[in-house]
Structure formats: structure tokens, C-alpha cells
Amino acid sequence: MTSSSTFDICVLPGDGIGVEVIAATLPLLERVAQGAPFSFRFGEHPAGAQHFRASGEALPRDTLEAARRADAILFGAMGWPEIRYADGTEIAPQLDLRVELDLYAGVRPARAIPGVRLPLADPRAKDIDLVVVRESTEGLFASRGKGVIEGDREARDTMVITRRGSERVHDFAFKLAQQRQQRGRPGIVTCVDKANVFVSMAFFRKIFDERAAAFPDIEARHHYIDATALDLVRKPWTFDVLVTENMFGDILSDQTAALVGGMGMAPSADVGDRHGLFQPCHGSAPDIAGQGKANPTATILSAALMLDWLADRHAMPPLAAAARRIEAAVDAVFASRRIVPYEFGGHDGTAAIAAAIASNL
Ligand code: ATP
């Protein structure tokens, strides 16, 4: 924050529909700031696969420094199937940002929005309101760029679980459950692991149990990853906060996004002790890029998460009130059933959805 509650937002639109959904979201942030005791200064910076193709750099140093300096980062999507590093891996500056800025908690809420058709027929599916907290700096992703292939015979990637990494992500999950409890959620954290097979996972669970003792008001549960995949289809409404290793969280959060409608509805936040990056769960979606068909709701809800995070950090309730306004406007649009995104077989694209949400603010 620079002066009189003006927040510097580092905007990284990236590739494909990332550019489109960010363009749809910024005017809504301007709108909620009108007449409010806060304002935003948006600074757009290059990064991503197309920028890599043009310049040879996926995450320029200036962009990284701008992200470091900003009060928060709003991110579209990055990556493009045909544009890759020489070793064949995808361009994914979002992974570098997580490490560089120590964004250890990947927060992936999945809430059933009234009016959005859900894939589960069970009427209790309307009660889905859960958050996957994905450890984002270690786990199996610690092996990114370090895997080994031996003589075309064997490949190896190594899972890393540290005490520090686990303690902080578990604490984050318990505190999140406490905050949600104040809004009527049951106050349950489920540690999702494979502690019956891997020592790394047993260690993750042991630290979870240690930290649980510091949060006696929150119920601590364990669930194996395979059983969790099953129960997220059978009875997802029984979950509140789930905390898990990086790779498991990567997979589960796509599953939970599908439970509440699809990728275009799923927001996310990558948060550390000093920095926060807010982005939709989806990627650059090359199949629909440039057609105006992307659903911007996930990005708009990610912007609301950003407002909540800023509200908390700067003790500014009006920012949280603006987040609630955005969520209420999204809910009103879908509850009216007048807007049906292409994603759900309808004919409403990025501009129409953003305009409908704006008119409900
Ligand atoms: P990444 O690996 O970069 O996260 P991905 O390969 O999982 O990306 P996405 O880019 O998220 O893939 O796209 C997956 C599917 O979801 C595609 O068919 C895409 O068109 C669709 N999709 C993703 N985001 C949206 C959106 N905002 N609106 C509509 N459809 C979307």
C-alpha cells in the first residue's frame, strides 16, 4: 500500500483466456472501489508462454520484482501446449512465482452456487462448501527440474516433506477453518495423505496431529487420498477444509472444481506470509482462446479472495465488504438463470457474464 489506502496490484494476464478473463475482471474491481475508502493502481506486466516465445524469457526479472513489490498479484493463466522449454516441460511461471515468493498455501474453495447445474444429482450437493489447501512449495513438486532419467531405463522424482513446510500449511488450514466457523461452517480440517504407505506422508500426518493440538476448537480428521477421491464424489458436502500435499492438492482441486460446475467457476489463491497471488484454477484453455467464450467467474471470485486477503492484512473491513458484494453479485447472476456460460452449454461469453455481474454490484 502506498498512500491513503491505494493498493498496488501487479496484474499478470499471461496467455490465452488468461488475458480475456483478467480484462473482464479489472473493471469490476474499479467499480467496487468507487466511493470506497480504498483504490487500486493496476500495473500490467509480461510473463508466460507467448512472452517466452517472443523474448526467450517466461518470467522476466522486472515482472518478478514488480510482483514482489506489489500489495497483491492478480494472475490470469500461463502456458501453451506447443511452447515448451528445451527439456519438453511446459512454461509455467506460476510455479516459479510460488517458490520465489514462498506462496506455500494454495487455497482452492469449491462452493455450490445456487442456479449452477451441478454434476451430482443428490440434492445435498447444493450444500457443497469446502476448501482444498494445497501445500505449494514442496511435496512431489520439489522434484520439478530435478528428476533423473538413467540410461532410458529408469526415471525418478522425489517427494520432499519438511517439518517447516508442513507446520505452516497445517496451521494455515486450521486458522482458515476457524475463520470459516465464524461464518457458520462446521470447523473441520481433514488431512489427506497416504500415510499407510509412504514415510513422507506419515510424517505429514504426524505434524498435522501435533498442530491440531493447538486448535482444540477445530475437529481434526484424517483421510487417505484414495478414499477422499471416492468420498468427494459420494458425499462432498461432508467436507470443510482439506489440507494436503502439493501433487494430491493439484489433482483434488480440479476434482472439487468439477463438483461445483467447472473450471470457469473455481477461484484460487496462493498465499504466503508476505505475498498473495490470486488466479482462476483453470489454465489458458487454448481450445477456446480468442473466441470470447471463457467464463470469467473464477477470476472474478479470485479477485474477491484478493479483497478478503487485503482486508485481513490491512485490517480494512470495507475491502471484505467489497468481496461480499462481488460474491453476492455472482450468486444473483446465476440464481436468475438468465446467464448460461458456454461452458455449461449456454450462449453467454466473457463479456456478457462480466456485464451481468457488474450490473448486480
Ligand atoms: P493447466 O494445465 O494449464 O491448468 P489444463 O490443461 O488443465 O490447464 P485448462 O486450460 O484449464 O486446461 O482447460 C481445461 C478445459 O476446461 C478446456 O476444455 C477449457 O476450454 C475448459 N475451460 C477452462 N477454463 C475455462 C473457462 N474459464 N471458461 C470456459 N471453459 C474453460
Side-chain angles (χ1 to χ4, degrees):
M1 190 172 49
T2 48
S3 64
S4 64
S5 304
T6 295
F7 294 94
D8 274 316
I9 310 297
C10 173
V11 181
L12 308 178
D15 298 306
I17 65 166
V19 178
E20 301 166 40
V21 292
I22 287 287
T25 301
L26 297 184
L28 298 188
L29 284 171
E30 302 269 21
R31 182 98 169 233
V32 293
Q34 275 168 22
F38 56 82
S39 58
F40 302 108
R41 186 164 31 229
F42 299 115
E44 257 186 52
H45 299 273
Q50 303 294 350
H51 187 71
F52 175 79
R53 177 145 73 184
S55 70
E57 267 188 318
L59 180 63
R61 187 196 304 240
D62 285 354
T63 297
L64 177 60
E65 286 316 311
R68 228 187 266 288
R69 276 194 313 271
D71 293 301
I73 304 153
L74 193 60
F75 187 106
M78 293 188 193
W80 203 255
E82 306 87 78
I83 307 177
R84 291 179 181 253
Y85 292 116
D87 67 359
T89 58
E90 273 187 54
I91 311 286
Q94 56 275 34
L95 302 184
D96 301 312
L97 280 163
R98 277 177 208 155
V99 175
E100 286 288 341
L101 304 181
D102 207 17
L103 307 174
Y104 59 83
V107 183
R108 311 286 149 86
R111 176 177 68 92
I113 293 180
V116 175
R117 196 154 53 87
L118 304 175
L120 297 182
D122 192 306
R124 287 170 292 181
K126 68 173 185 356
D127 298 326
I128 296 171
D129 184 351
L130 57 84
V131 185
V132 175
V133 178
R134 165 187 177 184
E135 199 295 319
S136 301
T137 55
E138 51 183 40
L140 195 52
F141 280 67
S143 187
R144 181 172 171 253
K146 298 181 195 146
V148 289
I149 299 183
E150 286 172 6
D152 209 27
R153 287 187 321 276
E154 189 171 319
R156 218 171 289 134
D157 283 302
T158 305
M159 165 103 77
V160 178
I161 301 286
T162 66
R163 168 166 285 280
R164 174 173 175 264
S166 303
E167 279 180 350
R168 63 185 186 175
V169 80
H170 291 322
D171 281 356
F172 185 95
F174 283 113
K175 285 179 197 156
L176 180 63
Q178 283 178 329
Q179 283 165 9
R180 285 165 56 86
Q181 206 174 29
Q182 285 166 13
R183 289 197 245 142
R185 296 299 298 151
I188 303 168
V189 182
T190 306
C191 177
V192 179
D193 58 48
K194 193 73 182 168
N196 49 337
V197 177
F198 299 109
V199 291
S200 56
M201 293 275 103
F203 186 59
F204 188 74
R205 181 183 285 207
K206 176 173 102 91
I207 296 170
F208 175 79
D209 290 341
E210 286 173 17
R211 298 311 307 157
F215 299 89
D217 49 334
I218 299 299
E219 184 182 336
R221 295 182 181 170
H222 309 126
H223 221 35
Y224 295 130
I225 178 68
D226 43 346
T228 305
L230 181 70
D231 282 342
L232 279 173
V233 174
R234 288 204 306 195
K235 44 179 183 176
W237 47 86
T238 61
F239 290 96
D240 182 14
V241 176
L242 302 91
V243 62
T244 191
E245 178 272 337
N246 208 340
M247 178 75 163
F248 289 166
D250 186 28
I251 298 166
L252 282 191
S253 56
D254 271 26
Q255 186 183 352
T256 54
L259 287 175
V260 293
M263 298 306 284
M265 301 301 293
S268 84
D270 289 297
V271 175
D273 292 331
R274 304 222 322 266
H275 303 280
L277 181 152
F278 303 83
Q279 68 171 121
C281 279
H282 60 75
S284 59
D287 55 336
I288 57 164
Q291 299 170 37
K293 289 185 175 174
N295 180 0
T297 308
T299 313
I300 292 167
L301 291 174
S302 303
L305 291 177
M306 179 179 86
L307 296 177
D308 268 329
W309 182 75
L310 286 169
D312 204 34
R313 274 177 82 75
H314 300 278
M316 277 195 71
L319 283 160
R324 299 289 82 71
R325 272 180 75 197
I326 291 180
E327 284 173 357
V330 167
D331 284 9
V333 164
F334 288 99
S336 76
R337 293 174 205 263
R338 279 203 294 270
I339 287 283
V340 184
Y342 281 98
E343 193 183 16
F344 305 147
H347 295 283
D348 293 304
T350 317
I353 299 168
I357 294 171
S359 70
N360 275 282
L361 275 174

